[in-house]
Amino acid sequence: MAASFNVNSEAGLKKFDEYLLSRSYITGYQASKDDMAVYTEFSLPPPSKYTNVVRWYNHIDALLKLSGVTAAGQGVKVESSAVPEASTSDKGKAPAADDEDDDDVDLFGEETEEEKKAAEERAAQVKASGKKKESGKSSVLLDVKPWDDETDMVKLEEAVRNVKMEGLLWGASKLMPVGYGIKKLQIMMTIVDDLVSVDTLIEDHLCVEPANEYIQSCDIVAFNKI
């Protein structure tokens, strides 16, 4: 079932912010049409109090300006509680049908001409300006859990810190009790948003060999823009 969001209301933004707490993108592990569809619903950047939405918005904005969104996506529905102000390019278009479901955008299927045009216009603007937007940074707190109480936590932390990527900097860490004699590793890291995807870091580096000899799972505890 497609995810559904209303970014034109406080309640909808709060729901979207909670959804993005443990995700870098709306669906999957790379930017897709789903992200583009929700992004285009914002007439202004989201309020700073919604830190996860702001982090996602800035990241998608940078990718769009670099024409970096190519994945097909899995489908998402965008809800709207108010009619957005029509742009000059939309004036003269026939009004939508009165059906309640017309406020929902079904993203299954091919990319629309409107989406293609929007992406092309953004790419043209960046090319004309000759300026590349400066990449933002984020501070991320990870929970890294061992297999059991016999796991060597020193080697577990070594396995984590041995992961090297451009735009990734490991920070302070500490062991936290979980229960039954088991402890987990909490570790800070700073990432360059355009270079490092936390989901990819976890799926392709921390939860595969050789690191998964010590690491059972990883969870994002906090994700904040710097």
PDB file of all heavy atoms in Angstrom, residues 1-20:
ATOM      1  N   MET A   1       0.847  -1.198   0.000  1.00  0.00           N
ATOM      2  CA  MET A   1       0.000   0.000   0.000  1.00  0.00           C
ATOM      3  C   MET A   1       0.880   1.244   0.000  1.00  0.00           C
ATOM      4  O   MET A   1       1.852   1.330   0.721  1.00  0.00           O
ATOM      5  CB  MET A   1      -0.912   0.005   1.229  1.00  0.00           C
ATOM      6  CG  MET A   1      -1.834   1.191   1.300  1.00  0.00           C
ATOM      7  SD  MET A   1      -2.919   1.075   2.747  1.00  0.00           S
ATOM      8  CE  MET A   1      -3.850   2.586   2.511  1.00  0.00           C
ATOM      9  N   ALA A   2       0.547   2.230  -0.851  1.00  0.00           N
ATOM     10  CA  ALA A   2       1.352   3.431  -0.971  1.00  0.00           C
ATOM     11  C   ALA A   2       1.261   4.280   0.285  1.00  0.00           C
ATOM     12  O   ALA A   2       0.212   4.396   0.908  1.00  0.00           O
ATOM     13  CB  ALA A   2       0.883   4.249  -2.173  1.00  0.00           C
ATOM     14  N   ALA A   3       2.396   4.907   0.653  1.00  0.00           N
ATOM     15  CA  ALA A   3       2.403   5.846   1.772  1.00  0.00           C
ATOM     16  C   ALA A   3       1.597   7.077   1.383  1.00  0.00           C
ATOM     17  O   ALA A   3       1.496   7.431   0.215  1.00  0.00           O
ATOM     18  CB  ALA A   3       3.839   6.230   2.121  1.00  0.00           C
ATOM     19  N   SER A   4       1.005   7.746   2.385  1.00  0.00           N
ATOM     20  CA  SER A   4       0.151   8.893   2.114  1.00  0.00           C
ATOM     21  C   SER A   4       0.510  10.036   3.056  1.00  0.00           C
ATOM     22  O   SER A   4       0.607   9.839   4.268  1.00  0.00           O
ATOM     23  CB  SER A   4      -1.326   8.495   2.297  1.00  0.00           C
ATOM     24  OG  SER A   4      -2.187   9.581   2.048  1.00  0.00           O
ATOM     25  N   PHE A   5       0.746  11.236   2.495  1.00  0.00           N
ATOM     26  CA  PHE A   5       1.159  12.374   3.301  1.00  0.00           C
ATOM     27  C   PHE A   5       0.411  13.636   2.891  1.00  0.00           C
ATOM     28  O   PHE A   5       0.061  13.817   1.728  1.00  0.00           O
ATOM     29  CB  PHE A   5       2.670  12.623   3.157  1.00  0.00           C
ATOM     30  CG  PHE A   5       3.509  11.435   3.486  1.00  0.00           C
ATOM     31  CD1 PHE A   5       4.136  10.719   2.492  1.00  0.00           C
ATOM     32  CD2 PHE A   5       3.653  11.004   4.803  1.00  0.00           C
ATOM     33  CE1 PHE A   5       4.897   9.606   2.782  1.00  0.00           C
ATOM     34  CE2 PHE A   5       4.418   9.895   5.104  1.00  0.00           C
ATOM     35  CZ  PHE A   5       5.042   9.205   4.094  1.00  0.00           C
ATOM     36  N   ASN A   6       0.168  14.499   3.865  1.00  0.00           N
ATOM     37  CA  ASN A   6      -0.409  15.822   3.633  1.00  0.00           C
ATOM     38  C   ASN A   6       0.569  16.851   4.203  1.00  0.00           C
ATOM     39  O   ASN A   6       0.635  17.045   5.406  1.00  0.00           O
ATOM     40  CB  ASN A   6      -1.779  15.939   4.311  1.00  0.00           C
ATOM     41  CG  ASN A   6      -2.420  17.307   4.098  1.00  0.00           C
ATOM     42  OD1 ASN A   6      -1.799  18.219   3.546  1.00  0.00           O
ATOM     43  ND2 ASN A   6      -3.642  17.453   4.530  1.00  0.00           N
ATOM     44  N   VAL A   7       1.346  17.483   3.309  1.00  0.00           N
ATOM     45  CA  VAL A   7       2.380  18.406   3.777  1.00  0.00           C
ATOM     46  C   VAL A   7       1.874  19.836   3.886  1.00  0.00           C
ATOM     47  O   VAL A   7       2.657  20.758   4.123  1.00  0.00           O
ATOM     48  CB  VAL A   7       3.609  18.352   2.833  1.00  0.00           C
ATOM     49  CG1 VAL A   7       4.224  16.975   2.849  1.00  0.00           C
ATOM     50  CG2 VAL A   7       3.224  18.751   1.407  1.00  0.00           C
ATOM     51  N   ASN A   8       0.563  20.020   3.723  1.00  0.00           N
ATOM     52  CA  ASN A   8      -0.012  21.354   3.819  1.00  0.00           C
ATOM     53  C   ASN A   8      -0.699  21.602   5.160  1.00  0.00           C
ATOM     54  O   ASN A   8      -1.469  22.549   5.299  1.00  0.00           O
ATOM     55  CB  ASN A   8      -1.026  21.574   2.683  1.00  0.00           C
ATOM     56  CG  ASN A   8      -0.352  21.594   1.332  1.00  0.00           C
ATOM     57  OD1 ASN A   8       0.637  22.267   1.148  1.00  0.00           O
ATOM     58  ND2 ASN A   8      -0.874  20.832   0.384  1.00  0.00           N
ATOM     59  N   SER A   9      -0.470  20.730   6.120  1.00  0.00           N
ATOM     60  CA  SER A   9      -1.049  20.914   7.447  1.00  0.00           C
ATOM     61  C   SER A   9      -0.009  20.563   8.507  1.00  0.00           C
ATOM     62  O   SER A   9       0.941  19.815   8.248  1.00  0.00           O
ATOM     63  CB  SER A   9      -2.281  20.018   7.621  1.00  0.00           C
ATOM     64  OG  SER A   9      -1.922  18.653   7.692  1.00  0.00           O
ATOM     65  N   GLU A  10      -0.180  21.107   9.711  1.00  0.00           N
ATOM     66  CA  GLU A  10       0.741  20.825  10.808  1.00  0.00           C
ATOM     67  C   GLU A  10       0.735  19.343  11.157  1.00  0.00           C
ATOM     68  O   GLU A  10       1.779  18.739  11.386  1.00  0.00           O
ATOM     69  CB  GLU A  10       0.359  21.660  12.042  1.00  0.00           C
ATOM     70  CG  GLU A  10       0.641  23.145  11.911  1.00  0.00           C
ATOM     71  CD  GLU A  10       2.136  23.449  11.859  1.00  0.00           C
ATOM     72  OE1 GLU A  10       2.893  22.797  12.587  1.00  0.00           O
ATOM     73  OE2 GLU A  10       2.532  24.327  11.072  1.00  0.00           O
ATOM     74  N   ALA A  11      -0.474  18.772  11.191  1.00  0.00           N
ATOM     75  CA  ALA A  11      -0.592  17.342  11.530  1.00  0.00           C
ATOM     76  C   ALA A  11       0.105  16.486  10.483  1.00  0.00           C
ATOM     77  O   ALA A  11       0.776  15.501  10.797  1.00  0.00           O
ATOM     78  CB  ALA A  11      -2.062  16.951  11.656  1.00  0.00           C
ATOM     79  N   GLY A  12      -0.067  16.870   9.207  1.00  0.00           N
ATOM     80  CA  GLY A  12       0.560  16.106   8.134  1.00  0.00           C
ATOM     81  C   GLY A  12       2.072  16.202   8.176  1.00  0.00           C
ATOM     82  O   GLY A  12       2.775  15.218   7.960  1.00  0.00           O
ATOM     83  N   LEU A  13       2.601  17.412   8.465  1.00  0.00           N
ATOM     84  CA  LEU A  13       4.051  17.588   8.564  1.00  0.00           C
ATOM     85  C   LEU A  13       4.627  16.807   9.741  1.00  0.00           C
ATOM     86  O   LEU A  13       5.715  16.240   9.655  1.00  0.00           O
ATOM     87  CB  LEU A  13       4.383  19.074   8.710  1.00  0.00           C
ATOM     88  CG  LEU A  13       4.370  19.887   7.417  1.00  0.00           C
ATOM     89  CD1 LEU A  13       4.510  21.365   7.718  1.00  0.00           C
ATOM     90  CD2 LEU A  13       5.467  19.436   6.464  1.00  0.00           C
ATOM     91  N   LYS A  14       3.872  16.780  10.849  1.00  0.00           N
ATOM     92  CA  LYS A  14       4.342  16.034  12.019  1.00  0.00           C
ATOM     93  C   LYS A  14       4.415  14.539  11.693  1.00  0.00           C
ATOM     94  O   LYS A  14       5.391  13.864  12.035  1.00  0.00           O
ATOM     95  CB  LYS A  14       3.398  16.250  13.196  1.00  0.00           C
ATOM     96  CG  LYS A  14       3.846  15.534  14.468  1.00  0.00           C
ATOM     97  CD  LYS A  14       2.903  15.823  15.628  1.00  0.00           C
ATOM     98  CE  LYS A  14       3.357  15.100  16.891  1.00  0.00           C
ATOM     99  NZ  LYS A  14       2.427  15.333  18.026  1.00  0.00           N
ATOM    100  N   LYS A  15       3.387  14.032  10.997  1.00  0.00           N
ATOM    101  CA  LYS A  15       3.373  12.624  10.597  1.00  0.00           C
ATOM    102  C   LYS A  15       4.532  12.323   9.647  1.00  0.00           C
ATOM    103  O   LYS A  15       5.227  11.306   9.784  1.00  0.00           O
ATOM    104  CB  LYS A  15       2.041  12.305   9.920  1.00  0.00           C
ATOM    105  CG  LYS A  15       1.962  10.908   9.318  1.00  0.00           C
ATOM    106  CD  LYS A  15       0.656  10.715   8.564  1.00  0.00           C
ATOM    107  CE  LYS A  15       0.627   9.360   7.851  1.00  0.00           C
ATOM    108  NZ  LYS A  15      -0.604   9.189   7.047  1.00  0.00           N
ATOM    109  N   PHE A  16       4.770  13.224   8.693  1.00  0.00           N
ATOM    110  CA  PHE A  16       5.848  13.046   7.730  1.00  0.00           C
ATOM    111  C   PHE A  16       7.209  13.084   8.430  1.00  0.00           C
ATOM    112  O   PHE A  16       8.117  12.314   8.107  1.00  0.00           O
ATOM    113  CB  PHE A  16       5.759  14.146   6.678  1.00  0.00           C
ATOM    114  CG  PHE A  16       6.644  13.942   5.481  1.00  0.00           C
ATOM    115  CD1 PHE A  16       6.951  12.671   5.014  1.00  0.00           C
ATOM    116  CD2 PHE A  16       7.170  15.033   4.796  1.00  0.00           C
ATOM    117  CE1 PHE A  16       7.762  12.483   3.910  1.00  0.00           C
ATOM    118  CE2 PHE A  16       7.980  14.859   3.693  1.00  0.00           C
ATOM    119  CZ  PHE A  16       8.274  13.586   3.251  1.00  0.00           C
ATOM    120  N   ASP A  17       7.361  13.976   9.425  1.00  0.00           N
ATOM    121  CA  ASP A  17       8.608  14.085  10.179  1.00  0.00           C
ATOM    122  C   ASP A  17       8.903  12.795  10.940  1.00  0.00           C
ATOM    123  O   ASP A  17      10.045  12.329  10.961  1.00  0.00           O
ATOM    124  CB  ASP A  17       8.506  15.263  11.159  1.00  0.00           C
ATOM    125  CG  ASP A  17       9.850  15.606  11.783  1.00  0.00           C
ATOM    126  OD1 ASP A  17      10.729  16.117  11.053  1.00  0.00           O
ATOM    127  OD2 ASP A  17      10.015  15.370  12.982  1.00  0.00           O
ATOM    128  N   GLU A  18       7.865  12.209  11.541  1.00  0.00           N
ATOM    129  CA  GLU A  18       8.049  10.955  12.277  1.00  0.00           C
ATOM    130  C   GLU A  18       8.389   9.818  11.319  1.00  0.00           C
ATOM    131  O   GLU A  18       9.201   8.946  11.632  1.00  0.00           O
ATOM    132  CB  GLU A  18       6.769  10.631  13.056  1.00  0.00           C
ATOM    133  CG  GLU A  18       6.488  11.613  14.191  1.00  0.00           C
ATOM    134  CD  GLU A  18       5.127  11.387  14.836  1.00  0.00           C
ATOM    135  OE1 GLU A  18       4.327  10.611  14.275  1.00  0.00           O
ATOM    136  OE2 GLU A  18       4.857  12.002  15.883  1.00  0.00           O
ATOM    137  N   TYR A  19       7.780   9.839  10.129  1.00  0.00           N
ATOM    138  CA  TYR A  19       8.045   8.806   9.128  1.00  0.00           C
ATOM    139  C   TYR A  19       9.507   8.824   8.683  1.00  0.00           C
ATOM    140  O   TYR A  19      10.117   7.781   8.463  1.00  0.00           O
ATOM    141  CB  TYR A  19       7.123   9.043   7.926  1.00  0.00           C
ATOM    142  CG  TYR A  19       7.280   8.059   6.794  1.00  0.00           C
ATOM    143  CD1 TYR A  19       6.621   6.826   6.806  1.00  0.00           C
ATOM    144  CD2 TYR A  19       8.076   8.359   5.686  1.00  0.00           C
ATOM    145  CE1 TYR A  19       6.762   5.932   5.765  1.00  0.00           C
ATOM    146  CE2 TYR A  19       8.220   7.469   4.639  1.00  0.00           C
ATOM    147  CZ  TYR A  19       7.554   6.257   4.691  1.00  0.00           C
ATOM    148  OH  TYR A  19       7.693   5.373   3.653  1.00  0.00           O
ATOM    149  N   LEU A  20      10.075  10.042   8.574  1.00  0.00           N
ATOM    150  CA  LEU A  20      11.447  10.192   8.097  1.00  0.00           C
ATOM    151  C   LEU A  20      12.501  10.008   9.192  1.00  0.00           C
ATOM    152  O   LEU A  20      13.693  10.100   8.924  1.00  0.00           O
ATOM    153  CB  LEU A  20      11.621  11.576   7.465  1.00  0.00           C
ATOM    154  CG  LEU A  20      10.895  11.807   6.133  1.00  0.00           C
ATOM    155  CD1 LEU A  20      11.004  13.269   5.727  1.00  0.00           C
ATOM    156  CD2 LEU A  20      11.428  10.902   5.042  1.00  0.00           C
TER     157      LEU A  20
END
